[in-house]
Amino acid sequence: MEMRCSVGAQVLQILGLVLFLGIHCCEAIARHTFVIKETPYTWLCSTKSILTVNGQFPGPTLYAHKGDTVTVDVYNKANYNITIHWHGVKQPRNPWHNGPEYITQCPIKPGGKFTQNVTFSLEEGTLWWHAHSDWSRATVHGAIIVYPKNSTSYAFDKPHVEVPIVLGEWWKQDIVDIYDEFRESGGDPNTSDAYLINGQPGDLYPCSKQDTFKLAVDYGKTYLLRLINAAMQDILFFAIANHQVTVVGTDASYTKPLKVDYIAISPGQTIDLLLEANQPKDHYYMAARVYSSAAGVTYDNTTTTALIQYKGRYTPSSPPPLPYLPYYNDTASSVNFTGRLRSLARGDHPISVPQNVTHKFLFTISVNTFPCANDSCAGPNGSRLAASMNNVSFVSPSIDILQAYYHRIKGVYGNRFPSEPPLKFNYTADYLPLALETPQNGTEVKVIEYNSTVEMVLQGTNLVAGTDHPMHLHGTSFYVVGWGFGNFDKKKDPKNYNLVDPPLQNTIAVPKNGWAAVRFQAFNPGVWFMHCHLERHLTWGMEMAFIVKNGPTPDSQILPPPPDMPPC
Ligand code: C2O
Ligand code: CU
């Protein structure tokens, strides 16, 4: 594939910019090598070995233009099974290279290799990639930047500089031990020790003075911050002291410009922000901290920071100003931001919201408990914590669903995922009978016809502890046409749907004891995972999969499996 440097020629007047373009355009080569390996890292005065890609943390950024295909050779040089997922990349007709373990592939074993094509189609903006096996995504993740096609431009004035901002979460202990202990105990996982901005905690932690991401800015310039929440367990609030930011995109789709003082970002979600360096020259903190709505669930209450440093000669304030961030359980502030996102929906960036639907699904999303022998588990009253969708707590199969579907292997999964909650109750009541807490185990999928149009209402429940659930769908994005608190009312609520400019997302934070309604067209045949992007809920079973059947023509059918699929 040729280098795409022609745009660089148009901006010869600013050397720095040319360099910047030069770097980004020439990294858009078609083939990359990802070597997964153990790498020693030191933060907060303790050293441990983490899994990385190519020794980098966060991992390397992938650059592409809309419509490109990028090939990645993934080598597993670690001692654990691993898979890599391209979060938000639709991968048309190619579920084989999507990545979730035991859903579309078996993991790459130590010493193994798997070549994945990352096929961009409608996406434009920021996405990310991450491991999709056990909890390895804690350190195995990185940004994906999708530029407009060469002859087209952004939906906003071209920023002077672009910066990926990857929000992460850090445990001093080995993540494998955290995960094993968590599974073993049946309770909540140990809370993390720090949040990170671009791999660094910032100087509000003990022993982290040097470990701060710094962004030097020129007064008067505009910066495009490509924010990714790669944290494991919580939604985060994020803000920059003394600066408003303008949201211009989410999940690789343009939004109407939205000027705000703070944002809320879910694990899995990406948000593109414009930052104008228009304040008095000084140093300013950007900061992120948890939004955690579940009563009684502990969380990492630390604040991670990075620094915006204006260039020039002056004496910076000491300490630099910190931004205001909403309180940790401020649900109103979270939905107040998330509920204001709108698709750009402009002539040059049209949208197509399904106006009529062929399937209406209502899926409850619940935290649950299983009884535990002698009440000896670490969940409430000695129970084992679990989670479910429509009361089915997902059990991972031992060979992947895609393979079983394609080769018609029986006994791997069932196609009886319920369209409606099997148990109807007042989902969001303050007190719910204990008997409702226990789900069924199962490996059930929902099979839908090619090109059907789906409305899916995700209904939170107050079982065990009501909380927000950032629900993520593979293989397509959906329009978030409505949301609310309490129980979804199928007569009243659809009247208030936004079918004009709803945001197009791949992850939606369903609010605590509330619901969200999404619509999508099933134009992508394959097996597509749907799950809560809070890692503990995913491990507990808050997931299911859609099978979108083949269409009538060869170009509406799943591609044949690549020859190097990792063996099960
Ligand atoms: Cu971010 Cu199933 O993925
Ligand atoms: Cu959840």
Side-chain angles (χ1 to χ4, degrees):
M1 185 176 145
E2 92 278 28
M3 299 291 188
R4 293 178 157 164
C5 294
S6 57
V7 282
Q10 299 162 8
V11 285
L12 282 166
Q13 64 272 44
I14 309 166
L15 182 63
L17 186 53
V18 172
L19 274 178
F20 169 72
L21 285 170
I23 289 163
H24 88 230
C25 73
C26 301
E27 274 182 73
I29 48 168
R31 202 162 190 126
H32 298 270
T33 301
F34 272 26
V35 179
I36 295 153
K37 58 179 177 191
E38 296 281 346
T39 310
Y41 252 83
T42 306
W43 285 153
L44 311 174
C45 292
S46 80
T47 302
K48 69 169 185 177
S49 173
I50 62 171
L51 281 190
T52 65
V53 165
N54 301 348
Q56 290 169 248
F57 175 67
T61 302
L62 280 191
Y63 297 88
H65 288 81
K66 186 176 183 176
D68 283 357
T69 293
V70 170
T71 300
V72 184
D73 296 307
V74 181
Y75 293 86
N76 185 0
K77 298 266 164 74
N79 294 323
Y80 305 98
N81 288 346
I82 203 129
T83 67
I84 302 288
H85 165 58
W86 320 93
H87 177 116
V89 183
K90 295 176 186 63
Q91 302 281 52
R93 303 174 52 208
N94 187 12
W96 305 104
H97 288 155
N98 190 244
E101 73 171 345
Y102 301 116
I103 305 297
T104 62
Q105 69 170 91
C106 280
I108 312 169
K109 300 202 171 67
K113 179 198 173 193
F114 184 36
T115 297
Q116 290 173 272
N117 291 327
V118 188
T119 310
F120 297 95
S121 50
L122 306 170
E123 308 85 2
E124 185 170 315
T126 308
L127 293 170
W128 60 304
W129 55 266
H130 61 79
H132 214 306
S133 42
D134 297 342
W135 283 14
S136 43
R137 81 167 177 85
T139 57
V140 178
H141 61 247
I144 300 177
I145 294 179
V146 192
Y147 296 111
K149 275 202 166 73
N150 273 328
S151 53
T152 64
S153 57
Y154 293 120
F156 42 85
D157 287 342
K158 194 168 179 19
H160 295 96
V161 180
E162 304 191 7
V163 196
I165 303 279
V166 182
L167 306 174
E169 189 165 1
W170 184 261
W171 281 260
K172 287 185 186 170
Q173 227 183 318
D174 193 321
I175 195 70
V176 176
D177 297 337
I178 296 281
Y179 175 74
D180 290 346
E181 214 176 286
F182 161 66
R183 305 242 355 212
E184 175 79 34
S185 76
D188 275 312
N190 287 348
T191 54
S192 52
D193 297 292
Y195 284 95
L196 309 174
I197 296 179
N198 285 345
Q200 310 199 65
D203 58 10
L204 300 187
Y205 293 90
C207 203
S208 63
K209 267 264 166 312
Q210 303 312 311
D211 305 327
T212 302
F213 173 74
K214 299 183 180 98
L215 177 63
V217 302
D218 280 308
Y219 183 88
K221 285 193 176 165
T222 303
Y223 295 79
L224 172 58
L225 306 186
R226 296 173 173 276
L227 239 76
I228 296 161
N229 186 348
M232 299 287 277
Q233 309 295 11
D234 283 290
I235 298 172
L236 296 169
F237 289 121
F238 171 93
I240 301 175
N242 298 42
H243 292 73
Q244 284 196 308
V245 289
T246 306
V247 176
V248 291
T250 186
D251 290 357
S253 178
Y254 292 115
T255 60
K256 292 199 166 68
L258 176 66
K259 214 170 200 178
V260 291
D261 294 317
Y262 71 90
I263 64 158
I265 184 168
S266 297
Q269 192 182 10
T270 67
I271 296 183
D272 286 353
L273 301 171
L274 294 177
L275 166 70
E276 280 175 67
N278 58 7
Q279 292 302 304
K281 288 184 180 178
D282 202 342
H283 289 181
Y284 298 92
Y285 275 125
M286 62 169 96
R289 180 171 83 186
V290 161
Y291 160 55
S292 170
S293 61
V297 173
T298 55
Y299 60 94
D300 174 351
N301 66 358
T302 62
T303 303
T304 178
T305 55
L307 278 173
I308 305 277
Q309 302 180 322
Y310 280 73
K311 292 182 204 162
R313 293 170 70 101
Y314 57 89
T315 312
S317 317
S318 177
L322 258 176
Y324 164 80
L325 287 167
Y327 201 51
Y328 80 93
N329 63 359
D330 187 347
T331 297
S333 286
S334 173
V335 296
N336 185 36
F337 170 76
T338 306
R340 276 195 291 161
L341 295 173
R342 296 287 178 275
S343 272
L344 181 60
R346 203 169 68 183
D348 53 344
H349 293 281
I351 59 170
S352 60
V353 189
Q355 301 289 317
N356 299 302
V357 294
T358 49
H359 298 292
K360 280 192 183 169
F361 299 134
L362 178 65
F363 296 167
T364 51
I365 45 180
S366 303
V367 174
N368 301 93
T369 56
F370 281 118
C372 177
N374 305 320
D375 296 337
S376 62
C377 292
N381 305 314
S383 67
R384 167 172 292 280
L385 284 163
S388 65
M389 294 181 69
N390 269 355
N391 210 42
V392 184
S393 188
F394 189 85
V395 177
S396 211
S398 53
I399 72 167
D400 58 286
I401 293 178
L402 175 57
Q403 175 180 185
Y405 167 62
Y406 195 84
H407 296 295
R408 300 172 198 272
I409 303 168
K410 290 235 152 53
V412 175
Y413 67 89
N415 56 13
R416 299 234 178 95
F417 189 84
S419 302
E420 296 268 322
L423 301 171
K424 307 229 178 348
F425 56 96
N426 179 0
Y427 308 116
T428 53
D430 284 345
Y431 299 98
L432 288 166
L434 272 181
L436 290 171
E437 278 189 5
T438 311
Q440 305 279 316
N441 276 321
T443 309
E444 296 294 331
V445 308
K446 175 59 78 188
V447 181
I448 53 180
E449 296 297 324
Y450 174 76
N451 252 346
S452 47
T453 45
V454 175
E455 176 177 306
M456 173 168 58
V457 176
L458 298 161
Q459 172 70 61
T461 79
N462 200 28
L463 289 172
V464 187
T467 190
D468 297 63
H469 299 287
M471 300 301 294
H472 169 54
L473 176 62
H474 293 210
T476 187
S477 288
F478 45 64
Y479 293 98
V480 183
V481 297
W483 66 272
F485 289 110
N487 300 335
F488 174 72
D489 181 331
K490 69 174 182 232
K491 290 221 177 60
K492 275 209 255 125
D493 289 321
K495 295 198 177 113
N496 299 320
Y497 281 171
N498 174 3
L499 300 178
V500 176
D501 61 356
L504 181 57
Q505 298 177 217
N506 62 52
T507 306
I508 177 63
V510 179
K512 173 179 179 168
N513 287 329
W515 56 273
V518 304
R519 285 188 179 186
F520 63 92
Q521 183 166 17
F523 58 80
N524 193 6
V527 175
W528 304 112
F529 204 22
M530 162 114 201
H531 61 91
C532 181
H533 221 288
L534 302 184
E535 215 57 28
R536 60 188 191 281
H537 294 178
L538 172 61
T539 303
W540 286 338
M542 194 178 281
E543 61 254 30
M544 54 82 70
F546 284 101
I547 292 183
V548 178
K549 297 212 297 207
N550 278 336
T553 55
D555 65 357
S556 60
Q557 298 177 355
I558 298 180
L559 295 171
D564 63 339
M565 286 307 293
C568 293

